[in-house]
Amino acid sequence: MTACFVSFTDISGIRHTVEVDAADSLYEAAVFALRTFKQHDCAPGDTARLKVEVRSAVTHTVTVKKIHEWLNGTARTPKEQITKDRLRALVG
């Protein structure tokens, strides 16, 4: 595993979430989360279900100028040209 979010919903319907930065397994992530929940006085009960979400999203940032440059640039393949033509039509 890697970084993840561990959460549970308490009996009042409030969802509690902690971020675990380095866990080698599902159970290790859960134990780290339980410790953090306990430190913040919101430990789940024994029948609570812990949801473990591995953080794997990648975020990229690109300027609108770069998008237009790519759309108007040379295509490397016929397939890429078709894609650029279609996308260019979407943005006008």
Side-chain angles (χ1 to χ4, degrees):
M1 290 190 84
T2 181
C4 58
F5 296 103
V6 180
S7 62
F8 76 97
T9 303
D10 68 17
I11 59 173
S12 300
I14 299 171
R15 183 175 182 201
H16 303 270
T17 304
V18 296
E19 185 172 2
V20 176
D21 288 326
D24 292 328
S25 70
L26 168 69
Y27 287 96
E28 187 174 11
V31 169
F32 291 157
L34 288 173
R35 179 187 62 193
T36 302
F37 289 136
K38 184 176 180 180
Q39 290 171 343
H40 291 273
D41 297 321
C42 61
D46 286 341
T47 60
R49 291 181 179 212
L50 296 180
K51 180 178 180 181
V52 179
E53 299 176 58
V54 176
R55 189 177 64 196
S56 62
V58 176
T59 303
H60 300 278
T61 304
V62 62
T63 64
V64 173
K65 179 180 177 184
K66 281 288 191 188
I67 293 168
H68 287 291
E69 288 173 357
W70 177 80
L71 284 172
N72 295 317
T74 305
R76 296 181 199 167
T77 65
K79 181 180 178 182
E80 185 178 353
Q81 186 61 51
I82 292 168
T83 300
K84 285 185 174 190
D85 291 343
R86 180 177 54 81
L87 295 173
R88 206 172 14 260
L90 291 175
V91 293

